[in-house]
Amino acid sequence: MTILGVIGGGQLGRMLALAAAPLGVRCRVLEPGANPPAAPVAEVIGADYDDPDGLARLAHGAAAVTFEFENVPAAAVDGLARLTPVFPGALALATAQDRVMEKALFRQLGIAIPPMRAVEDQGELTSALEAIGLPAVLKTRRLGYDGKGQAVLRSLEDVEPAWRAIGAAPAISEAFVEFQRELSILSVRGRDGATVFYPLVENHHHDGILRHSIAPAPNLTIALQQQAEAIAQRVLDALDYVGVLAIELFQVGDTLLANEMAPRVHNSGHWTIEGATTSQFENHVRAVLGLPLGATDCQRPTAMINLIGALPSIDRLLAIPGAHVHVYGKAPRLGRKLGHVTLCGDSYGDLQTKCARVQTVIADQVELNAGAHQGA
C-alpha cells in the first residue's frame, strides 16, 4: 500500500486520510498532541514537528510527505526533503508563514494588495498609519490565524493598545479595505505542472473565524473567475508549487486584492467533499503523489457552515434534506472548529433555505448553552 506522510493530525489530516483511503493510500501523521482527530483513520507518530526521529519515521517508506497546516517549522520540512519528496516545498511554507514575505511575493508578481507597511515597533506603527491612513488593521508577521494576532485601529489613540494586543511582535499595518465581499480561489498543481481551479468561493467571517462559505460565489462572472485564476497561476508557477493552494481575496468593484495564502487544503474548500466532482482533499493527495488531477466542477450551489465552540444536535442537522455532517472528534472549546455541515441546493434560493435551517439548529444550541451557564 502507498504511504503518504502528513505533518499534523488535525481535522485536515483526518479528511486527507479519508480521501486517500479509496485510492489505496494510507496516511501516516506526525502529531505531538494526544488523541488527534486523524487518529481513527491514520497511523499516528507521536512526536514534535521538528523531532528528527519522528520525522525520519514519518518519511520511512513514504511515497511523499505533505503538511496540513502552515505553522510547521520550515527548516524541518527542508531537512525532510532530503529523505523523501515533500510537497508543497519549504519555500512555499516559509513564504506563507511570514506576512511580509507573502506580501512581497504578491507585489513581485504584480498582484494587487491593500496598502501596507512592515512595522517593528510602536514608533514605526505610528509612521505607517500616517502613510497608509486610518482605519487600518495590525497583523503579526507570523502565527496569526482565525483572527488571532490582529487588531483594528481607527485612530492614533489605538496605537498603544493595539501594539500591546498583538504582544508587541513584528507585524504589518494594512489599510482597511472597503470590500464588497471576501472570496477565495482554490487551485491545485500537480508534480507535472498540470493545474486545475475550483470556482471562486464567497466567505463570511465573524470575529476573524470563517463561519460559512458558498460555492460557486453568487453572481460570479467569467472575468472575475479568470482574474482569480491568473493570480493563483502566478503564485503556483513562482513557487513551483505542488498541491492545493488557497488564496483569500477581497473583491473591490471588479478588482481582486490578495489578502493571504494558505499552502494546504483549506477551510473554505470543505464544500468540495460533497459539492465538487473531486474534493480538495482527494486532489491534494493526487497532486503530491504525482497522480492525474480530478475535475473541479461544482455540480450544484453548495454551502459549508462551520460548527464552532459546541456541537448542536446532530439528529436535527441530519433531518435537513441534503445535509452532510462532519464531526472532527475534538473537545468543545470557545472559538474551536468542531465540525462542519455541507449542503447542496437545486438553486441559491433553495440553498439559502437549507442554510437557514442549519443556523436555527446552531442558534438553539447557543441558547441552550447560555441557559445552562446561567443555571450553573
Side-chain angles (χ1 to χ4, degrees):
M1 176 175 279
T2 301
I3 297 173
L4 173 62
V6 182
I7 303 177
Q11 66 261 27
L12 300 181
R14 177 191 183 105
M15 288 183 272
L16 280 170
L18 289 169
L23 303 179
V25 177
R26 172 76 171 168
C27 284
R28 174 193 296 156
V29 305
L30 178 69
E31 172 59 50
N35 301 315
V41 293
E43 174 191 349
V44 179
I45 297 173
D48 290 333
Y49 301 128
D50 58 356
D51 179 75
D53 179 64
L55 289 166
R57 290 166 60 197
L58 181 70
H60 181 71
V65 170
T66 188
F67 44 86
E68 61 132 27
F69 72 117
E70 57 265 46
N71 290 335
V72 175
V77 170
D78 191 39
L80 192 60
R82 301 186 184 97
L83 303 177
T84 192
V86 182
F87 302 110
L91 175 59
L93 178 62
T95 301
Q97 287 177 338
D98 187 322
R99 284 192 169 95
V100 172
M101 288 180 62
E102 184 179 65
K103 301 292 186 182
L105 175 65
F106 290 152
R107 281 176 167 165
Q108 175 190 335
L109 298 177
I111 297 169
I113 61 173
M116 57 79 62
R117 295 287 190 280
V119 295
E120 295 289 331
D121 55 43
Q122 192 172 313
E124 286 189 3
L125 174 56
T126 300
S127 299
L129 295 176
E130 291 171 349
I132 66 175
L134 289 160
V137 182
L138 183 65
K139 304 176 181 179
T140 54
R141 284 183 64 163
R142 304 176 67 86
L143 300 178
Y145 67 97
D146 284 348
K148 297 179 177 66
Q150 297 187 22
V152 177
L153 301 99
R154 303 192 181 279
S155 72
L156 291 179
E157 294 178 355
D158 294 331
V159 168
E160 185 176 352
W163 188 247
R164 285 200 312 268
I166 68 160
I172 66 167
S173 180
E174 190 173 76
F176 196 85
V177 177
E178 294 291 343
F179 53 83
Q180 276 74 51
R181 56 179 173 171
E182 295 180 79
L183 301 168
S184 59
I185 180 76
L186 278 85
S187 54
V188 195
R189 187 171 183 268
R191 289 167 71 161
D192 60 355
T195 305
V196 293
F197 303 93
Y198 289 93
L200 271 168
V201 182
E202 181 177 299
N203 300 314
H204 297 265
H205 294 78
H206 180 66
D207 291 336
I209 301 175
L210 179 63
R211 302 293 166 160
H212 70 273
S213 299
I214 304 171
N219 303 310
L220 177 59
T221 64
I222 294 175
L224 202 65
Q225 179 72 27
Q226 290 176 339
Q227 186 180 163
E229 290 183 8
I231 288 170
Q233 189 71 64
R234 286 180 224 169
V235 176
L236 292 169
D237 291 344
L239 297 174
D240 193 20
Y241 195 92
V242 175
V244 168
L245 174 71
I247 301 180
E248 297 179 2
L249 306 158
F250 298 130
Q251 182 181 350
V252 182
D254 296 326
T255 301
L256 295 176
L257 304 181
N259 178 29
E260 60 186 30
M261 67 181 192
R264 54 172 171 80
V265 288
H266 194 256
N267 196 180
S268 68
H270 290 358
W271 67 271
T272 62
I273 298 175
E274 282 84 25
T277 299
T278 312
S279 78
Q280 64 162 343
F281 300 99
E282 181 178 335
N283 255 337
H284 188 76
V285 172
R286 290 186 185 211
V288 301
L289 291 179
L291 302 172
L293 302 182
T296 55
D297 53 302
C298 180
Q299 304 295 332
R300 296 189 292 165
T302 305
M304 184 283 306
I305 300 175
N306 275 327
L307 304 176
I308 298 170
L311 288 175
S313 167
I314 303 302
D315 287 359
R316 289 182 62 192
L317 290 175
L318 292 176
I320 299 170
H324 298 268
V325 180
H326 298 256
V327 176
Y328 305 151
K330 297 161 71 173
R333 191 175 69 205
L334 185 66
R336 194 179 205 187
K337 296 171 184 171
L338 303 180
H340 72 268
V341 180
T342 47
L343 301 145
C344 297
D346 295 327
S347 65
Y348 284 107
D350 178 45
L351 184 63
Q352 185 177 22
T353 298
K354 292 177 178 178
C355 286
R357 291 184 62 180
V358 171
Q359 297 291 6
T360 296
V361 176
I362 293 173
D364 287 349
Q365 185 65 48
V366 170
E367 185 176 341
L368 184 65
N369 290 349
H373 180 72
Q374 289 175 355

